[in-house]
Amino acid sequence: MSKKMFVKLAFENIKKNARLYVPQMIITAVMTAALYILTAITIDERISGSGASVLPIALKYANPVYIGISVIVILYTNSFLMKQRKSEYGLYNVLGLGKKHITFIMFFEMAFSASASILSGGVLGLILYKLATLFLSYVLRVNTVYSEMKIFWGMLLVSMLTFAGVYVFTFICNVISILRLKPLQLVESKKKGEREPKVKALLLIEGLITLGAGYYIALTTKHSITAVSLFFFAVVLVIVGTYSLFTAGTIFILKMLKKNTNFYYNKKHMTAVSGLLYRMKQNAVGLASICILSTMVIIMVSVSSSLFARVDSVIEEQMPNDMEASITYGDLSEEKNLEVRKIIEEVVEEEAKKQGVEIAYKQERNAYAMAVLYKEGVIYSDLMDYNALKENSPIQLFCITDQEYERLTGKNCKVADDSAIVYGLKTNNIKFDDEIVFSDLKLKIEKTIEEYPIPMEAYKFFDCFGIIVTQKTMDDLEAFQLKSTDEMTNEMDHVHDVVFNFKGSESQKLKLSQAVEKRVDKIVNKKAKAYAKANNPKGHENEISRRGMVSYKAGLRESLYDTYGSLMFIAVILGMIFLMVTVIIIYYKQISEGYEDRGRFQIMQKVGMSEREVKDSIKTQVLIVFFLPVAVAAVHVLVAYPLIESLLMMLGLADKAITRCYTVGTYGIFFVVYVGIYLFTSKVYYKLVR
């Protein structure tokens, strides 16, 4: 046979099996386009030059994961195609075509489908990159307008070659599978059945243990710091447990249903349960994949949306003033601290005058900060390592004297020695009633207040309290802190802040703040380092450099939009891809089920089942299989919610109502889309089995 004939046969086969090839080609094109967008962003100087520092770094870690998922998807779709096509290849073999000829046909089929999908994906990527950068400029809140149509040929080539390489690998696997089978085996491969699966007790137990362990971590982890280190471990456990329980657990449940005679000996139930039981080994992996992908989409979109929606509120909470100079030199003298603050004030006044910006408000604040541990009603000052955080709750305490409170607020404040007036963040889990008990000191709580002059919202990932005490009690607290065994926390930090508000535009404030930050870094920290080197033990002289910091609202806004906007962008892109992958998995599963059930349901109709009864049986099977993954995904999200809240606390989002609202809303939208997929694929399934 001539190559022209092979080409013609391959083209006709793709056309005849468009129902099978087109979805694979679409998902490959979309994944190629997405890979180009995600890789091009990492080298686009316009994006990095606009202040986006988080996104390129995040994508360097996210892109390999995305490529891995893409490879798995193509292998999955290829395995489905080969299962449907093997009998056709076997028929060619029986009719006289050698396996060499069949290999040529397979080559041209894959060449046509791969070329069409990868090339169209490249073109789609070039078109969508402009839209992606516009969306990116919106979520990052940058003024850069990406008007130029820029093409990154290197990244385009890498993206296309990546998927071309995957197709070459699948072609080699397909050829090997064809060469290994005899003609009759190829013809009968589609009809090959499976023995009734047995319950794999060890796999069932392993699934229960791993899923239970993942759930336990999610439900019992209370502190944001430990949540960061345990989150990914819990995710792995839940993924392993999900696959194990879908494989072994579903078979166990189906066998229990089969033993229930009232349920099983019903025409529509019997056909559905028996069919699922015989093919659950294959279905289980697909169902578990749908469940995991659904969970990922819901969590990614809900978390990123809730963060992005609250970014302006977080800015106001963490930085209520235009600028804050924080001097927390615990290892410098009080006199030296005040000298440093005076230098900063002079720098701000000089720069404001130079740039024509009026200082509308200035306030000096003096406080003491201490990080402590809390357990069973007692506060300890000890080493804050991982083990300590597992067994104790971290607390951040801000302490001011009654005289300082009066100076800052203008309100009278009288408090006795060994007593305290207490303020606590609403997000705190720990509550003090009548007294605060330190390991060797007790403070009676005289009253609680609703406002505190030192902002503490930036420390929401801890339980955070502000207390007002006398100078004598302050000295006692410092003596308590000195007993700590942790060299980094055995002194109270003397926090000397000065805050400013300016009259002017946002651009003027940003320019002024950046100029002040630059000068302070050169002048103040240089002097502080020199002082620390002369007055601190060898090896500790550089610790002072981390303690002098100028913060400003414009810089915080830029930083948070960079972080939250980057997360939003990645979540939207990957969420859309994962949703499409979910659709493809469901679509192929339904077609596969339809082809396999066609003969069986035709037999059922011949022995007396009406068309309505066949449709009811299909509906029962589809409902059980279809909505199980999304139901389990809802459980996963619900259980993961406390751990997610702890992680969001680290990122500055403490508004649980917002997070819950977006999570419920995201799940609701996803469920509606999922039902739409169900309605479409169930019609395809029914057409196949009629």
Side-chain angles (χ1 to χ4, degrees):
M1 293 182 68
S2 65
K3 289 185 179 179
K4 187 176 181 181
M5 181 62 69
F6 293 139
V7 172
K8 185 177 180 181
L9 273 173
F11 184 77
E12 289 297 325
N13 287 340
I14 292 175
K15 186 177 179 182
K16 182 177 63 176
N17 294 283
R19 178 182 284 170
L20 306 179
Y21 278 98
V22 170
Q24 185 196 46
M25 295 169 67
I26 291 174
I27 192 64
T28 302
V30 172
M31 290 191 301
T32 303
L35 182 59
Y36 168 70
I37 292 170
L38 295 175
T39 52
I41 284 173
T42 62
I43 63 170
D44 193 337
E45 294 179 354
R46 298 174 302 172
I47 294 173
S48 58
S50 65
S53 59
V54 174
L55 184 61
I57 296 173
L59 287 178
K60 286 181 180 179
Y61 293 97
N63 286 343
V65 177
Y66 171 72
I67 292 172
I69 293 173
S70 301
V71 171
I72 293 172
V73 171
I74 292 180
L75 292 176
Y76 173 82
T77 57
N78 176 74
S79 67
F80 170 80
L81 285 171
M82 283 301 294
K83 184 176 181 181
Q84 304 301 320
R85 298 296 311 283
K86 274 183 180 179
S87 59
E88 188 177 338
Y89 295 140
L91 185 59
Y92 286 151
N93 203 190
V94 170
L95 293 175
L97 286 180
K99 289 189 175 179
K100 179 181 177 181
H101 300 137
I102 295 173
T103 301
F104 277 123
I105 295 173
M106 292 170 57
F107 171 77
F108 286 115
E109 286 175 354
M110 183 161 287
F112 289 152
S113 62
S115 299
S117 57
I118 293 173
L119 289 174
S120 59
V123 174
L124 183 65
L126 295 176
I127 296 171
L128 293 181
Y129 188 73
K130 171 70 174 177
L131 184 62
T133 52
L134 289 174
F135 175 64
L136 184 59
S137 65
Y138 168 73
V139 295
L140 295 180
R141 293 293 194 271
V142 295
N143 296 323
T144 305
V145 179
Y146 306 108
S147 55
E148 180 186 354
M149 182 67 177
K150 200 165 184 179
I151 300 175
F152 300 90
W153 294 107
M155 291 297 100
L156 182 62
L157 184 62
V158 167
S159 303
M160 296 173 71
L161 287 178
T162 298
F163 286 95
V166 178
Y167 270 97
V168 170
F169 175 75
T170 58
F171 173 71
I172 294 172
C173 293
N174 294 344
V175 170
I176 293 173
S177 67
I178 292 295
L179 294 177
R180 288 176 61 247
L181 296 176
K182 296 179 180 179
L184 189 59
Q185 289 176 314
L186 285 171
V187 174
E188 297 293 330
S189 62
K190 191 174 177 181
K191 298 179 181 179
K192 185 178 179 181
E194 294 184 26
R195 295 180 180 179
E196 181 174 323
K198 296 180 180 179
V199 176
K200 297 178 180 179
L202 290 178
L203 189 61
L204 179 61
I205 293 170
E206 178 262 330
L208 290 171
I209 292 173
T210 52
L211 187 66
Y215 278 8
Y216 177 79
I217 291 172
L219 293 171
T220 59
T221 303
K222 298 180 180 179
H223 310 309
S224 300
I225 296 176
T226 52
V228 173
S229 59
L230 293 173
F231 177 74
F232 292 103
F233 181 58
V235 168
V236 172
L237 288 174
V238 170
I239 291 174
V240 172
T242 300
Y243 276 101
S244 299
L245 288 181
F246 266 94
T247 301
T250 50
I251 293 173
F252 174 78
I253 293 171
L254 287 169
K255 282 188 173 286
M256 293 299 101
L257 291 174
K258 190 174 181 180
K259 289 181 180 180
N260 185 338
T261 56
N262 291 331
F263 177 85
Y264 183 70
Y265 289 106
N266 179 293
K267 281 188 256 188
K268 61 180 181 179
H269 293 166
M270 180 185 291
T271 53
V273 172
S274 60
L276 286 171
L277 193 57
Y278 275 92
R279 294 188 309 276
M280 188 46 68
K281 182 179 180 181
Q282 175 186 341
N283 287 340
V285 175
L287 295 176
S289 299
I290 294 169
C291 176
I292 295 300
L293 288 170
S294 301
T295 306
M296 292 172 67
V297 170
I298 294 165
I299 289 177
M300 282 196 307
V301 175
S302 62
V303 167
S304 60
S305 300
S306 56
L307 281 171
F308 192 75
R310 280 276 296 161
V311 62
D312 289 324
S313 299
V314 172
I315 292 169
E316 290 300 323
E317 290 174 355
Q318 295 189 8
M319 188 68 64
N321 302 104
D322 290 332
M323 182 188 294
E324 176 183 313
S326 176
I327 305 95
T328 54
Y329 296 150
D331 40 6
L332 293 186
S333 66
E334 186 78 8
E335 181 182 348
K336 198 67 181 179
N337 274 297
L338 297 175
E339 180 184 329
V340 170
R341 185 171 68 185
K342 185 64 176 176
I343 294 173
I344 291 179
E345 291 180 36
E346 291 173 355
V347 168
V348 174
E349 290 169 359
E350 289 173 9
E351 288 295 332
K353 186 176 180 180
K354 186 187 300 184
Q355 298 186 28
V357 177
E358 182 183 347
I359 298 175
Y361 172 79
K362 181 180 81 170
Q363 185 182 59
E364 298 173 347
R365 303 184 306 211
N366 304 297
Y368 299 85
M370 53 194 298
V372 292
L373 296 171
Y374 177 86
K375 184 178 181 180
E376 297 177 355
V378 180
I379 293 176
Y380 301 90
S381 180
D382 208 343
L383 181 66
M384 275 201 180
D385 59 7
Y386 177 76
N387 291 326
L389 292 173
K390 282 200 305 182
E391 300 174 0
N392 304 273
S393 300
I395 292 180
Q396 180 70 36
L397 283 179
F398 285 90
C399 315
I400 60 174
T401 63
D402 49 357
Q403 293 179 346
E404 180 68 8
Y405 180 83
E406 289 182 348
R407 187 183 71 82
L408 293 174
T409 64
K411 300 177 181 178
N412 292 327
C413 179
K414 299 298 179 184
V415 60
D417 291 336
D418 299 325
S419 298
I421 297 172
V422 179
Y423 166 82
L425 292 178
K426 294 179 180 179
T427 55
N428 288 348
N429 294 313
I430 298 171
K431 306 295 181 185
F432 294 113
D433 296 324
D434 300 323
E435 61 182 3
I436 304 175
V437 181
F438 296 81
S439 55
D440 55 0
L441 177 67
K442 289 185 179 181
L443 298 182
K444 179 184 176 183
I445 298 177
E446 291 192 358
K447 65 177 180 179
T448 59
I449 54 177
E450 296 298 321
E451 294 181 351
Y452 195 70
I454 307 295
M456 299 185 295
E457 280 72 15
Y459 298 88
K460 283 180 178 178
F461 51 89
F462 283 148
D463 284 275
C464 197
F465 294 90
I467 62 174
I468 305 168
V469 296
T470 62
Q471 185 60 54
K472 176 183 177 301
T473 305
M474 188 75 75
D475 295 338
D476 293 339
L477 287 172
E478 188 162 13
F480 159 79
Q481 188 75 348
L482 285 170
K483 295 179 182 179
S484 171
T485 59
D486 184 2
E487 291 185 2
M488 292 297 294
T489 61
N490 65 358
E491 290 185 357
M492 291 179 68
D493 281 333
H494 296 228
V495 183
H496 298 280
D497 290 352
V498 55
V499 297
F500 299 89
N501 283 334
F502 306 108
K503 287 184 178 180
S505 65
E506 290 300 317
S507 60
Q508 287 178 312
K509 293 177 183 179
L510 176 60
K511 187 178 178 181
L512 170 61
S513 300
Q514 289 174 336
V516 170
E517 183 183 38
K518 189 175 181 180
R519 282 191 61 186
V520 167
D521 185 57
K522 285 184 177 180
I523 300 172
V524 177
N525 282 338
K526 185 177 179 180
K527 290 185 177 182
K529 285 181 182 179
Y531 181 89
K533 188 173 183 179
N535 294 276
N536 282 274
K538 189 175 182 180
H540 294 274
E541 61 269 12
N542 289 325
E543 291 177 7
I544 198 74
S545 62
R546 65 180 175 85
R547 305 208 179 189
M549 182 176 64
V550 173
S551 305
Y552 46 96
K553 184 177 289 186
L556 179 63
R557 179 179 290 107
E558 185 179 272
S559 175
L560 289 182
Y561 271 112
D562 184 18
T563 302
Y564 294 176
S566 297
L567 292 175
M568 184 70 179
F569 179 81
I570 294 173
V572 169
I573 298 294
L574 295 186
M576 292 173 63
I577 296 296
F578 290 162
L579 183 60
M580 288 193 66
V581 171
T582 302
V583 173
I584 292 297
I585 293 174
I586 293 170
Y587 177 80
Y588 278 141
K589 190 194 74 63
Q590 293 289 71
I591 289 181
S592 177
E593 291 292 314
Y595 280 128
E596 293 179 3
D597 289 347
R598 179 191 293 170
R600 184 156 54 90
F601 281 113
Q602 286 174 351
I603 292 172
M604 291 295 178
Q605 283 183 298
K606 289 177 182 178
V607 298
M609 286 184 70
S610 66
E611 185 176 321
R612 179 64 186 174
E613 289 172 330
V614 171
K615 195 168 184 178
D616 288 342
S617 180
I618 293 172
K619 188 175 180 180
T620 301
Q621 180 174 346
V622 171
L623 284 172
I624 292 172
V625 172
F626 214 88
F627 289 100
L628 179 61
V630 76
V632 176
V635 177
H636 285 349
V637 173
L638 187 64
V639 173
Y641 191 79
L643 191 59
I644 293 171
E645 278 191 338
S646 297
L647 292 173
L648 289 176
M649 196 80 74
M650 285 288 290
L651 293 171
L653 181 61
D655 194 333
K656 296 181 180 180
I658 288 287
T659 309
R660 290 168 183 169
C661 179
Y662 274 91
T663 301
V664 172
T666 302
Y667 184 84
I669 295 171
F670 181 84
F671 187 79
V672 171
V673 174
Y674 198 85
V675 170
I677 299 168
Y678 158 72
L679 294 174
F680 169 73
T681 56
S682 61
K683 289 179 180 179
V684 174
Y685 178 89
Y686 184 65
K687 286 179 182 178
L688 289 172
V689 299
R690 288 184 65 173

